[in-house]
Amino acid sequence: MRVRLLLSFTVIILVAVAGVVFIASQGAASEVRSFMARGGMVRLDSLVDDLEAYYRQEKSWQGAEVVLADYATAGHGQGQGQGMMGQSLILADADGLVLLDSTGARPGQDRLSADELEQALPLHSGLWTVGYVLPTGGMGWNAGDERFLVTRLTNGALLGGLAAAAVALLLGLYLANRLSRPVQALTLAAHQLSLGDLSQRVKVTGRDELADLGNAFNHMADSLQDAQESRRAMTADIAHELRTPLAVQRANLEALQDGIYELNPENLEPVLQQNQLLSRLVDDLRTLALADAGQLPLEFVPASLAALVERVVARFQAQARSRQVELALELAPACPQVFMDPARIEQVLGNLLSNSLRYASSPGRITIELACQQGWVECAIHDDGLGIPEPSLPHVFERFYRVDRSRSRDEGGSGLGLAIARQLVEAHYGTLIAANHAQGGAVFTLRLPVHAQL
Ligand code: ADP
């Protein structure tokens, strides 16, 4: 990238300098001409041509003052034949006898001195020299002078251009380095990341597009690292969860095989229980995997959450009575129907209620409150247990998280129930939050939008 940037800078600089030099040299030629003319200077080669043409036509210098006047007045716009101070055009015949003086300063019949004759330009007609024209006071210039001046100006422009190009190239090198450095760092970090080093981050400075790219890269690396860590933790947790029921099953089966236990339904019961536990765990993991992949099959229909809550509460009545827990249902009148998959929301409510029953006091009370606000229907389940320790509150929806590991496992909990519940609720574009009630006990609040944005 750096080389490409530098090449681009070089091309741009060279094109710009060449353009400036070309335009400057073109402009210099015409500027030189008009500057000379404005200063009252006469282009000698064309003066000589015109005078010679005049002579060829007229065969004498009689009336040649019109040609001289044309040149003497060209450009400076002063009085007829009047040049700038000390400037004049003198026409002499072949013998050096002054015939005309554009300023009229030289008297007729005056002769050009030897010096003047040397400086004068001869006028030819065929092979013969028929006269001389003498510009005085720096009044004449010719094509050679113009070329010389234009070449000098062009060289000056070229030199200036080359110096500017050198400075611009140095600046370009610095800029190319500066621009390519973060990209190089990003490329290196991306390469390391692809080799498995997920700790790679790039230093982000400034607030331009490159900084945005750096931030996006760092976010991506964060997510990849988080995903890798949670995958590792998940694998370890799954192995851990499988180990206990498998060990219990194995010990029981070996005891049955060795004849230590008699093979009867009573001794097979623990094996069956552990098997059921394993089946539930596998089912839960499958549900989570499907939810993670966004492939959980959901059948959305408009249904009443109140009716669903009543059904779930009825299902848990017997269990609640056996634990001497009262299930108090407080339904707000006329809540709108919710667009949901009733089987999945029933699974969520069942999970919340069975948790509350497990942690409520005995005898105790669980309040199930249904309310509706604009666009939302809300169900809060509040038990009168010990609640959730504050440090554990942010973690209860994490996979395999249990506040009291041994108690939860003894009671058949896998630590996946709330994680699944939240995934299911989020698949309905709703929210599920846990809190401790001011009067004690935990309260889980499920909120579902009346119109899910499908
Ligand atoms: P588990 O299958 O272990 O119950 P969950 O995901 O359902 O797993 O719950 C995670 C943890 O949250 C539980 O182990 C428990 O410590 C805590 N928890 C859930 N519901 C309650 C509640 N009503 N009161 C107190 N703690 C609770």
Side-chain angles (χ1 to χ4, degrees), residues 280 284 351-360 366 381-389 392 395-405 407-409 411-421 434-436 441-444:
R280 205 165 54 237
D284 286 352
N351 181 276
L352 295 178
L353 213 54
S354 76
N355 273 354
S356 297
L357 264 175
R358 198 186 302 163
Y359 295 100
I366 296 172
I381 300 177
H382 168 210
D383 62 60
D384 62 351
L386 292 173
I388 302 164
S392 297
H395 304 291
V396 286
F397 293 101
E398 286 171 14
R399 290 161 195 198
F400 295 111
Y401 185 85
R402 303 174 181 104
V403 176
D404 182 347
R405 282 195 164 252
R407 176 178 166 186
S408 174
R409 191 177 285 132
E411 293 175 16
S414 65
L416 287 176
L418 287 179
I420 292 176
N436 284 317
V443 50
F444 284 83

Side-chain angles (χ1 to χ4, degrees), residues 7 40 75 117 128 130 133 174 178 180 188 249 270 312 385 393 450:
L7 275 177
L117 264 179
W128 307 105
V130 292
V133 65
Y174 168 73
R178 225 182 114 93
S180 65
L188 192 73
Q249 274 184 342
V312 177
L393 262 181
V450 174

Side-chain angles (χ1 to χ4, degrees), residues 316-327 357 360-366 384:
F316 279 89
Q317 278 299 359
Q319 197 183 336
R321 258 196 302 275
S322 71
R323 284 208 64 221
Q324 293 179 300
V325 176
E326 180 198 350
L327 297 182
L357 264 175
S361 321
S362 179
R365 178 185 162 93
I366 296 172
D384 62 351

Side-chain angles (χ1 to χ4, degrees), residues 189-207:
H191 182 65
Q192 296 293 335
L193 199 79
S194 72
L195 294 178
D197 179 4
L198 299 184
S199 66
Q200 286 293 324
R201 300 291 181 278
V202 288
K203 212 170 108 199
V204 179
T205 48
R207 295 167 65 185

Side-chain angles (χ1 to χ4, degrees), residues 42-80:
V42 171
R43 188 151 172 170
L44 294 176
D45 35 9
S46 59
L47 171 65
V48 168
D49 285 351
D50 284 358
L51 283 171
E52 286 177 348
Y54 181 86
Y55 191 87
R56 266 197 304 279
Q57 200 180 333
E58 301 295 327
K59 304 284 184 249
S60 88
W61 292 117
Q62 200 91 42
E65 56 266 34
V66 275
V67 181
L68 281 199
D70 268 359
Y71 280 87
T73 56
H76 56 66
Q78 302 188 18
Q80 267 288 17

